[in-house]
Amino acid sequence: MKTEKHDAIVLSSEDEKDHFKLFTALLKNTPIPDDEILANVGAYLTSKNLSRILFFYEIYQKILPTHGMVMEFGVRWGQTLSLVAALRSIFEPFNRHRRIVGFDTFAGFVGTSDKDGARGQVADGSFSVSADYEAHLTEILASQEALNPMSHLRRFELVKGDAVETVPAYLSRHPETLVSLAIFDFDIYRPTRAALEAIKPHVFKGTVLVFDELADDIFPGETIALREVFDIANLRIQRFPMTSRISYVVLE
Ligand SMILES: C[S@@+](CC[C@H](N)C(=O)[O-])C[C@H]1O[C@@H](n2cnc3c(N)ncnc32)[C@H](O)[C@@H]1O
């Protein structure tokens, strides 16, 4: 159920796992020369990984007419933040208010509780990253911005620490915040609830909320947090056909 080092949950069959290993080995040993790797990275996208990209393409279309920033709650290796930064570069390279801010401990889960179920991988420290990973991710996101217009203005920020404290602190430092898109991917109850409560005064009709684990039995805490902070009977919880787990709400 877990990857060898980082506790990620793998629901694949043994056969699928073997194919993923082979695919990973093909990528690590690629004969593609350095100056062509980035342009050909699509050769190594699996359908599952592509489906996530397609999901965020659709979500980005929904936020284009709205004002405000993007927040991601649970960044880990930063693939979603980097993808959103690339989408911003394509669709609204001059929108300086579309700041992208990611919150994470960069040390794995903090604040697991009995609301997170009894599965073994739901423990403090699960889903950690390598030491100083936020410095590497900062370089990735800076490179994304460097390749695009207005690169002299930094429009991303990584906020390190327990979100129960860092999200309210960020918002008190930035009372001007309007949340156009909030992506919830802490997986667990406490920081999800804290982030939902903190952003509530900063959302509006048209704000898009994305949830990675709603209705998920492995991580029940995300659904409990949403039910406690918003009246879900008045939320249209929707999905796209290409991804089975991720859902979204456009506030009405
Ligand atoms: C599933 S990962 C996020 C994956 C990421 N969104 C992506 O697109 O690949 C969950 C993340 O939530 C973070 N996290 C869990 N509890 C936290 C807390 N109390 N404060 C801040 N981050 C937390 C973990 O460190 C982990 O990186």
Side-chain angles (χ1 to χ4, degrees), residues 52 72-81 103-111 126-129 161-164 166 183 185-188 191 212-213:
R52 194 175 173 89
E72 189 184 31
F73 300 109
V75 170
R76 204 160 188 236
W77 302 112
Q79 56 154 344
T80 304
L81 274 193
F103 296 86
D104 208 297
T105 59
F106 295 103
F109 290 175
V110 167
S126 293
F127 286 76
S128 60
V129 286
D162 182 356
V164 170
T166 58
I183 303 163
D185 199 6
F186 285 139
D187 295 354
I188 58 172
D212 212 62
E213 269 86 24

Side-chain angles (χ1 to χ4, degrees), residues 216-249:
D216 193 279
D217 60 334
I218 298 173
F219 292 111
E222 189 175 284
T223 313
I224 298 169
L226 178 65
R227 286 174 48 223
E228 287 179 0
V229 180
F230 280 88
D231 175 9
I232 60 162
N234 285 319
L235 296 182
R236 215 181 291 267
I237 300 174
Q238 299 179 86
R239 60 187 296 273
F240 294 112
M242 64 281 211
T243 49
S244 77
R245 202 185 58 217
I246 328 178
S247 57
Y248 72 96
V249 169

Side-chain angles (χ1 to χ4, degrees), residues 18-165:
D18 287 345
H19 285 296
F20 281 127
K21 268 191 188 157
L22 174 60
F23 219 151
T24 305
L26 290 170
L27 171 60
K28 285 178 87 171
N29 302 312
T30 183
I32 298 177
D34 284 358
D35 60 350
E36 294 190 54
I37 286 182
L38 288 182
N40 290 284
V41 80
Y44 298 95
L45 272 179
T46 64
S47 55
K48 181 167 183 274
N49 298 337
L50 177 59
S51 72
R52 194 175 173 89
I53 294 173
L54 295 175
F55 176 91
F56 279 100
Y57 164 80
E58 295 290 349
I59 291 295
Y60 209 94
Q61 302 312 301
K62 292 192 181 295
I63 70 164
L64 280 175
T66 70
H67 202 39
M69 63 187 289
V70 177
M71 289 179 150
E72 189 184 31
F73 300 109
V75 170
R76 204 160 188 236
W77 302 112
Q79 56 154 344
T80 304
L81 274 193
S82 185
L83 175 59
V84 170
L87 288 165
R88 181 183 61 188
S89 303
I90 295 168
F91 291 110
E92 42 181 9
F94 298 104
N95 185 352
R96 81 175 171 84
H97 291 92
R98 192 76 79 202
R99 290 171 45 73
I100 298 172
V101 179
F103 296 86
D104 208 297
T105 59
F106 295 103
F109 290 175
V110 167
T112 51
S113 68
D114 56 4
K115 296 221 161 94
D116 296 309
R119 302 290 284 263
Q121 46 278 78
V122 184
D124 279 15
S126 293
F127 286 76
S128 60
V129 286
S130 44
D132 291 331
Y133 183 72
E134 64 277 16
H136 181 76
L137 181 55
T138 298
E139 284 193 63
I140 291 176
L141 296 172
S143 300
Q144 278 282 11
E145 290 194 341
L147 290 167
N148 291 287
M150 301 216 311
S151 57
H152 60 293
L153 295 180
R154 179 159 283 198
R155 288 180 290 160
F156 73 86
E157 187 175 342
L158 298 177
V159 183
K160 184 176 177 171
D162 182 356
V164 170
E165 285 151 26

